[in-house]
Amino acid sequence: MLEAGQSFGHFKIIKKLGEGGMGEVYLAEDQKLNRNIALKILQPAFLDDADRLQRLIREARTAAKNSHPNVMAIYDLDSARDESSGKDLRYIVMEYVSGQSLTDYLETRKPGIADSLRLAEKIAAGLSAAHKLNIVHRDIKTDNIRIDDDGDPRILDFGLAKPLDATFAGDNNDITDSLSNDLTQEGKIMGTVNYMSPEQARGEAVDSRSDVFSFGILMYRMFTGEFPFAGQEKVSILAKILESKHAPMRDKNESIPAELERIVDKCLQKNPNDRYQDTRDLVIDIRSLRRQFESSISDSSTILAGKPEGMSRSYIFKLSRPKRIAIVLVAILIPMYIIFKSGKESPSTEVRGLQAKENAMAILGFQNKTGDADLDWLQAGLPEILLTDLAQGGAINIISRSRVLDCLGDKIENINEIEVHKKCIDAARSLGAATVLSGSFYKMGDNIRIDARLEEVESGKIILGEKVIGSDPFALVDSLTQKIATSLNVQEVLANNRGVSEFMSSSPEAFRYYIQGMEKFSASNYDEANVLFEKALEIDSTFALPYMRIGMSYALQARGMQGAPYFEKAKKYESKLPVKEKNLLDIYSDLWLKVSYDEALTKMKTFVSNYPDDKEGRTFNAVLKYALQRDTDGAMAELDTALLLDPQYQLALMFYVELFMEQKKYDEAIAKAKLVRDYYPDSPEGYRALSEIYYLQQKLDEAMEEGRMLLQRFPDNEIILGRLISIQIHKRNFDEAHKFNEYIKERHGDDPYLMVDYYYNLANFDIWKGRFRSGLDNLKKAAALAEPTGDSVLIYGQYDLLSDYYESLEMLDSALYFNKKGFDWATGFRSFSYPLMMVKADPATEPEAREIFEKALQNFKSRLPSELWGIGDVLKERFDALCVGDTLKIMEASRKMVEEQNQGSTGNRISLGKYYVLTGHYAEAKKELENVTSPTGQNQTSRAISYMTAVYYHGRACEALGDTETAVADYREVLKYWGQADMKLDLITDSRARLDKLIS
């Protein structure tokens, strides 16, 4: 139609790329925007049929909204005159994607399973993005997938491959006609026929599930090299698509994971209702499989059943300011803070990726028909008690009420009870339930009556209809449990004589407070949660669960010593815990009581193997994999599985936020944090996380706005105050920073932990102004407040801070004195700090220091998995280098420490930059220190003493490199704040001398 070199509108034709059912495609130059594009010239039929053209325009406009990176972009739809023929031609302007088709890629590259999973995930993600806009492709096949020059797939012609839309009247005829015509034209659509869904083959209207079927065929071909429905003639192919079952993928390739076969089989179901109903679920399943496959935890049977396989200073160990709600799993040796939250049992989007075991029973819940709002807790409490009671025998696989609700999402809004029940049955069926338990409870005088019904999912047959009446909910549930077990003939439950009061609490009232406390705990409102937990314990002092959760609430606020007595109490009464909770307590005790991380990791692997559907266990396992094994992909696989179980699970979402922040994937972190804020409006965590992310991006105004919103909604929440103070210091608004610090004293003056922060902040303000003596006095006040708490972590941290400041102020004797005071409180690997300071202050102390160091190293390796031993070995290199005063070796050890810590802490980066300067590696020093001194640096600090040290050595590096202007600015920056300091430091004196020399 058009020729190379010809002008058409504002395009210049370069060459013809091909043609399809809609017209011809050309590579052309857009002379307005000076870029190459793909230009599709439509057939005249699209100009002659006004209705068809309007549908195409609407669909193209919708498709143009899809900006997904794995979908070819559509730029424009218009018409122009072809001067050679004198005709007006309608055209579509599309992104030009260079590379090769997936067909050619599979033949030439022959990718392995891991690469193919990566491609499949991205293709599915592109499909999902379009389906969200209600666009259906209708012609998914390898020829319509292009692998670009970066190796990423792009779906071509989305929404335009076939100009048919099932939502418009008359489309069925169009499809039928098209199919009939195609079957009479030899060779025209052979590929398309091979990828057709059954409903396409029958000429019926199609929706996104048709694309899912075609994608299943595409996946089958990618991993086996064959079509699932093959034949010599089109008619025979279509017959197989309509009638025949495809051969199992693993018959074609034994190395294919069983989970992949399950995913493809679900895509290739003949009935659209049996396929993935939402392509997002398909993406989640493939992503989870890909990550688990890459982290080598998949097996031959099922993914879920597989067995998962310079020193940082104390101000980092103590938790960065503000204190995150976090657990620092490797303390001073890994400056990584892991957000650990308990999630909220709440409805979410439909998830069909995980299937329950056979003969599972789903608990749908019990409606409150009493009219008494004080009994609302039983709606969550009764299913929880029943779940615990029935699960003790291990013979019944229970699907919790929360999982059923997760499948429903918002599908039960604004519909009647009968329809709600039907939806619940469908959700239970999708999760593999054979039976469902539902009912209501009523008030009868002082008694409660529970009406329960157990029915078969498939037949709807009522197996059990039972009423139990009494005043004790525990006794009622025990009675109901025995009746359910009798109906199902489950001997293990019948033989279990323990009532629920024996492994929970003796008091239903105590259990009520526990259930209500967990609601607050889930929203990160720990103070309110602990009040309710304490009320439960006032009623039943042997109730282990509240003890465990109070211990966790303190541990998650970096108050491990406050939590320790509660963990000990929980251990004392652990015989009353259900088996699963007892196992969790054992793991938490290893983490927070014994500080035995290697043991915790081993036990967590076993726990996840035994309870693959436990989202809390999955998320803890993700944290341990990341912190202790450096296994990012394995951690993400566990998080994906947790989010399959509950897409709104706060713990998993927040840890995802933390992972993305660590990897500097800030857009992804923001997206997850916004989900948390939307799902949990009564929790401060979404706001806090967003403020943190914006701060790391140096978007200080946005960070401040999120922090202020948090404080406005949660005025007693102290978490954000430290971050707001840091932001104001970065903006050099010291008066505003002071106001936020005084807010700590006004609202939390009786909390020694927060008042320690208060005096630390006062010390930092003093040192920004060069008032070193008063700064040190305020740090001593913080240490004095810490001592009465008895919290060894807090006390050690304050003395180590004092030691650090005295060292920076060039007073090594005092630094050693306070380091020794900290060492008296040090446990485990915290003991590294003291021997390092000993030889730094006096190399003659090497024999004594070495003995202490070796004991610390041995303790370190006994508590941590071998993946982290490298950190201890690097510290030993640093220790040995300090003993002999070898600056080059000290520098090398500092460099290794930054690498061991992935991005490296601010303190270690400054230390490394300093040693680079001292050894003449000026370019390296400048690069390292710019991370701290630059306004856009990733390691910027609000800590005055760190910032000034970094600026000074950055100035020296720039001076040596001939960058006089920057060096002058750096020395002036030091003197701006410390020019009138109340102590004479070599750093200040040298800055002044160097500045005078440079400007003269």
Side-chain angles (χ1 to χ4, degrees):
M1 189 180 296
L2 301 178
E3 301 294 334
Q6 177 182 342
S7 292
F8 173 71
H10 59 274
F11 305 103
K12 183 176 182 180
I13 306 301
I14 298 175
K15 64 178 180 179
K16 184 176 180 179
L17 295 174
E19 62 182 290
M22 292 177 63
E24 297 177 340
V25 182
Y26 297 88
L27 173 61
E29 179 187 357
D30 185 334
Q31 295 178 314
K32 280 187 179 179
L33 299 176
N34 193 28
R35 64 179 176 184
N36 286 349
I37 50 89
L39 191 68
K40 175 168 284 191
I41 307 297
L42 301 179
Q43 291 180 349
F46 292 97
L47 298 173
D48 299 337
D49 187 333
D51 183 54
R52 205 176 189 194
L53 178 60
Q54 286 305 310
R55 288 183 307 189
L56 174 65
I57 291 172
R58 284 194 294 267
E59 191 161 335
R61 286 173 177 167
T62 306
K65 297 177 183 177
N66 190 351
S67 58
H68 194 276
N70 297 119
V71 175
M72 177 194 68
I74 297 174
Y75 297 141
D76 195 11
L77 187 149
D78 205 345
S79 63
R81 178 168 291 275
D82 175 18
E83 298 300 337
S84 61
S85 64
K87 296 180 179 179
D88 286 334
L89 302 179
R90 179 72 65 171
Y91 63 81
I92 301 171
V93 183
M94 302 174 293
E95 176 186 13
Y96 173 63
V97 182
S98 60
Q100 61 182 150
S101 70
L102 180 57
T103 305
D104 294 337
Y105 182 88
L106 294 174
E107 291 178 359
T108 59
R109 302 292 185 90
K110 302 189 183 304
I113 291 178
D115 286 340
S116 296
L117 282 172
R118 180 186 65 82
L119 291 173
E121 178 190 338
K122 292 188 175 186
I123 297 167
L127 273 174
S128 177
H131 288 168
K132 189 176 180 180
L133 295 170
N134 295 319
I135 311 169
V136 183
H137 193 289
R138 292 176 292 271
D139 199 17
I140 290 294
K141 57 184 178 182
T142 54
D143 283 343
N144 275 337
I145 310 294
R146 197 159 188 84
I147 308 301
D148 66 21
D149 295 335
D150 294 325
D152 291 326
R154 309 287 284 278
I155 305 174
L156 308 183
D157 281 357
F158 220 125
L160 301 171
K162 286 184 177 292
L164 306 169
D165 190 327
T167 62
F168 295 104
D171 282 349
N172 289 359
N173 292 334
D174 287 345
I175 295 172
T176 305
D177 290 344
S178 175
L179 179 60
S180 301
N181 292 337
D182 287 339
L183 287 173
T184 64
Q185 298 177 36
E186 185 62 34
K188 181 179 178 183
I189 59 161
M190 188 64 179
T192 301
V193 170
N194 272 308
Y195 289 93
M196 276 188 176
S197 66
E199 54 269 35
Q200 273 183 302
R202 288 190 294 266
E204 298 172 352
V206 299
D207 57 24
S208 63
R209 295 172 296 179
S210 177
D211 282 350
V212 169
F213 189 92
S214 300
F215 178 74
I217 294 175
L218 183 143
M219 287 243 290
Y220 192 103
R221 186 180 179 191
M222 285 176 67
F223 290 94
T224 68
E226 302 178 16
F227 284 107
F229 311 105
Q232 295 297 318
E233 303 291 336
K234 297 173 188 176
V235 173
S236 63
I237 294 170
L238 291 172
K240 289 182 179 180
I241 289 173
L242 291 168
E243 301 169 4
S244 301
K245 172 69 176 175
H246 58 277
M249 291 177 69
R250 298 174 76 201
D251 288 354
K252 309 286 185 181
N253 183 351
E254 292 181 355
S255 66
I256 289 174
E259 174 70 353
L260 175 60
E261 187 173 67
R262 183 195 70 80
I263 291 170
V264 174
D265 285 349
K266 189 167 185 176
C267 292
L268 293 179
Q269 294 300 305
K270 305 295 185 187
N271 187 337
N273 293 327
D274 295 331
R275 299 174 204 150
Y276 286 94
Q277 303 301 293
D278 189 328
T279 325
R280 289 174 294 183
D281 299 338
L282 172 60
V283 176
I284 290 172
D285 277 8
I286 298 173
R287 180 181 299 137
S288 181
L289 172 61
R290 189 261 302 168
R291 286 175 175 161
Q292 297 199 41
F293 183 85
E294 289 177 352
S295 60
S296 302
I297 62 172
S298 61
D299 64 16
S300 59
S301 58
T302 173
I303 286 295
L304 293 180
K307 293 185 178 180
E309 298 291 87
M311 157 112 56
S312 213
R313 300 304 301 166
S314 63
Y315 63 88
I316 291 175
F317 165 69
K318 182 180 174 291
L319 298 182
S320 65
R321 313 244 174 212
K323 281 187 300 204
R324 294 183 182 178
I325 296 183
I327 173 174
V328 187
L329 286 179
V330 198
I332 53 177
L333 302 177
I334 302 180
M336 181 198 70
Y337 312 104
I338 300 169
I339 295 171
F340 241 28
K341 288 278 171 274
S342 177
K344 179 179 180 181
E345 302 288 353
S346 56
S348 180
T349 53
E350 181 179 17
V351 178
R352 301 176 180 269
L354 295 175
Q355 296 297 318
K357 298 174 184 177
E358 293 182 3
N359 302 318
M361 185 181 80
I363 299 177
L364 302 187
F366 294 83
Q367 291 182 302
N368 183 0
K369 298 289 189 177
T370 67
D372 185 351
D374 288 341
L375 294 175
D376 281 347
W377 72 274
L378 285 172
Q379 292 183 113
L382 286 176
E384 183 70 20
I385 301 168
L386 264 169
L387 187 152
T388 304
D389 210 349
L390 287 165
Q392 295 310 298
I396 303 178
N397 183 52
I398 307 297
I399 300 170
S400 70
R401 172 175 173 264
S402 63
R403 283 198 69 194
V404 175
L405 292 177
D406 290 339
C407 268
L408 289 171
D410 58 3
K411 294 180 180 179
I412 58 175
E413 294 182 4
N414 303 317
I415 59 176
N416 60 43
E417 288 185 15
I418 296 175
E419 289 301 316
V420 167
H421 188 72
K422 288 180 180 178
K423 295 287 186 183
C424 288
I425 294 289
D426 290 341
R429 180 186 292 109
S430 74
L431 292 169
T435 56
V436 294
L437 179 68
S438 61
S440 305
F441 58 93
Y442 302 82
K443 194 79 178 287
M444 301 183 66
D446 293 333
N447 289 331
I448 296 172
R449 188 187 85 189
I450 301 176
D451 291 0
R453 180 175 68 177
L454 184 66
E455 61 184 295
E456 290 182 348
V457 169
E458 293 303 328
S459 67
K461 177 182 176 182
I462 305 299
I463 302 173
L464 172 71
E466 191 66 40
K467 294 178 174 62
V468 289
I469 303 174
S471 59
D472 184 347
F474 286 176
L476 296 179
V477 169
D478 286 338
S479 173
L480 193 55
T481 297
Q482 290 294 306
K483 295 177 185 297
I484 292 169
T486 300
S487 298
L488 297 176
N489 194 27
V490 181
Q491 298 301 317
E492 291 90 339
V493 176
L494 292 171
N496 180 19
N497 293 320
R498 296 180 69 196
V500 68
S501 62
E502 294 182 50
F503 51 80
M504 295 283 280
S505 168
S506 60
S507 166
E509 185 73 1
F511 187 74
R512 174 171 76 90
Y513 282 123
Y514 172 73
I515 288 291
Q516 293 172 341
M518 284 303 296
E519 292 178 1
K520 300 296 184 182
F521 185 92
S522 298
S524 309
N525 296 323
Y526 294 121
D527 291 342
E528 296 178 48
N530 286 351
V531 168
L532 291 164
F533 292 145
E534 292 285 4
K535 286 184 177 180
L537 294 172
E538 288 173 8
I539 297 170
D540 180 3
S541 62
T542 67
F543 192 2
L545 281 173
Y547 285 123
M548 182 176 79
R549 294 301 177 181
I550 293 173
M552 288 182 69
S553 73
Y554 282 123
L556 299 178
Q557 296 176 86
R559 299 184 179 193
M561 290 298 292
Q562 279 184 280
Y566 290 93
F567 284 120
E568 289 171 352
K569 281 280 193 178
K571 290 291 287 183
K572 179 179 179 180
Y573 301 114
E574 67 179 352
S575 62
K576 295 190 67 174
L577 282 173
V579 175
K580 184 171 73 171
E581 283 71 17
K582 185 177 180 180
N583 289 337
L584 276 177
L585 175 61
D586 200 27
I587 295 167
Y588 298 157
S589 296
D590 282 338
L591 288 174
W592 288 310
L593 270 180
K594 302 175 185 176
V595 196
S596 182
Y597 301 126
D598 204 11
E599 284 289 315
L601 180 63
T602 301
K603 290 175 183 177
M604 183 54 77
K605 288 180 180 178
T606 302
F607 182 87
V608 170
S609 178
N610 291 336
Y611 303 100
D613 290 354
D614 187 86
K615 61 189 179 185
E616 183 175 345
R618 287 282 182 181
T619 306
F620 268 79
N621 199 33
V623 172
L624 295 178
K625 278 178 172 292
Y626 183 70
L628 302 180
Q629 294 184 310
R630 310 290 182 84
D631 184 0
T632 302
D633 284 338
M636 287 186 169
E638 293 294 328
L639 291 177
D640 285 340
T641 303
L643 291 173
L644 279 172
L645 294 161
D646 180 358
Q648 294 189 11
Y649 188 35
Q650 190 187 40
L651 171 63
L653 288 169
M654 287 304 300
F655 185 48
Y656 241 135
V657 171
E658 189 71 10
L659 278 177
F660 285 138
M661 284 197 290
E662 290 281 335
Q663 297 168 354
K664 296 182 173 54
K665 296 180 178 179
Y666 297 123
D667 289 343
E668 291 92 333
I670 288 171
K672 284 286 192 289
K674 285 183 176 178
L675 284 178
V676 173
R677 190 178 62 182
D678 293 342
Y679 293 155
Y680 299 87
D682 295 328
S683 169
E685 280 304 282
Y687 298 95
R688 185 207 59 76
L690 285 168
S691 181
E692 182 76 5
I693 299 163
Y694 291 137
Y695 176 82
L696 291 173
Q697 291 180 297
Q698 292 303 305
K699 296 179 179 178
L700 299 183
D701 290 337
E702 290 93 330
M704 178 60 67
E705 178 62 22
E706 290 293 336
R708 287 188 185 277
M709 285 195 293
L710 187 157
L711 206 57
Q712 184 177 0
R713 293 205 59 188
F714 310 95
D716 287 326
N717 189 285
E718 80 284 357
I719 305 168
I720 199 62
L721 291 170
R723 176 55 64 219
L724 295 177
I725 290 168
S726 294
I727 293 169
Q728 296 297 356
I729 291 175
H730 277 299
K731 299 176 80 169
R732 303 301 186 255
N733 295 332
F734 291 104
D735 289 342
E736 289 297 314
H738 268 287
K739 289 179 183 178
F740 284 120
N741 196 45
E742 289 303 314
Y743 190 89
I744 294 177
K745 186 176 182 180
E746 291 168 12
R747 306 288 293 211
H748 309 284
D750 58 349
D751 187 328
Y753 284 81
L754 296 179
M755 288 306 292
V756 163
D757 287 344
Y758 171 79
Y759 283 109
Y760 165 85
N761 291 328
L762 287 182
N764 193 32
F765 298 151
D766 285 334
I767 290 172
W768 272 102
K769 297 176 181 179
R771 299 197 297 253
F772 299 136
R773 289 186 174 84
S774 60
L776 292 170
D777 287 342
N778 278 315
L779 287 176
K780 290 172 185 175
K781 290 178 183 177
L785 274 174
E787 286 240 18
T789 68
D791 189 329
S792 62
V793 175
L794 183 68
I795 299 166
Y796 167 85
Q798 295 314 302
Y799 283 126
D800 208 30
L801 263 175
L802 271 165
S803 174
D804 183 48
Y805 272 76
Y806 272 109
E807 181 186 353
S808 298
L809 295 173
E810 303 163 10
M811 292 182 278
L812 287 183
D813 289 343
S814 295
L816 183 60
Y817 169 79
F818 284 106
N819 205 293
K820 175 61 171 67
K821 287 181 74 72
F823 178 70
D824 293 339
W825 292 91
T827 57
F829 38 74
R830 299 185 186 96
S831 304
F832 279 128
S833 181
Y834 181 53
L836 285 163
M837 178 56 70
M838 287 176 69
V839 293
K840 189 181 295 184
D842 182 3
T845 61
E846 177 189 348
E848 180 187 357
R850 186 172 293 280
E851 183 179 352
I852 297 171
F853 187 92
E854 292 294 343
K855 286 182 180 179
L857 185 60
Q858 183 179 358
N859 184 281
F860 173 81
K861 291 188 175 181
S862 70
R863 293 173 180 266
L864 292 167
S866 57
E867 288 89 345
L868 294 178
W869 288 2
I871 296 174
D873 294 335
V874 171
L875 284 171
K876 188 174 187 306
E877 288 182 30
R878 185 179 178 87
F879 177 82
D880 291 338
L882 284 169
C883 287
V884 296
D886 190 326
T887 305
L888 279 172
K889 288 185 178 179
I890 296 172
M891 180 195 72
E892 182 61 18
S894 297
R895 185 187 63 77
K896 288 181 180 179
M897 181 56 71
V898 170
E899 290 177 354
E900 284 287 339
Q901 295 172 315
N902 189 13
Q903 298 300 327
S905 70
T906 297
N908 278 330
R909 283 194 177 276
I910 294 171
S911 177
L912 178 57
K914 170 185 173 180
Y915 283 113
Y916 275 142
V917 169
L918 297 178
T919 55
H921 296 76
Y922 299 116
E924 293 90 338
K926 180 181 178 182
K927 180 179 178 182
E928 200 67 54
L929 293 168
E930 277 176 350
N931 278 295
V932 181
T933 62
S934 169
T936 58
Q938 294 295 329
N939 289 80
Q940 261 210 82
T941 177
S942 59
R943 189 170 179 253
I945 208 155
S946 299
Y947 176 73
M948 297 305 174
T949 302
V951 170
Y952 166 72
Y953 281 105
H954 183 263
R956 286 187 56 177
C958 291
E959 181 182 354
L961 293 169
D963 185 358
T964 303
E965 182 179 353
T966 302
V968 166
D970 284 340
Y971 299 140
R972 281 178 172 162
E973 180 80 352
V974 172
L975 296 174
K976 173 182 176 181
Y977 295 99
W978 285 4
Q980 303 298 320
D982 59 8
M983 287 185 185
K984 291 185 178 180
L985 302 182
D986 290 344
L987 181 152
I988 300 172
T989 303
D990 194 52
S991 291
R992 185 173 285 115
R994 290 176 179 274
L995 178 61
D996 290 343
K997 179 182 176 182
L998 290 175
I999 63 177
S1000 64

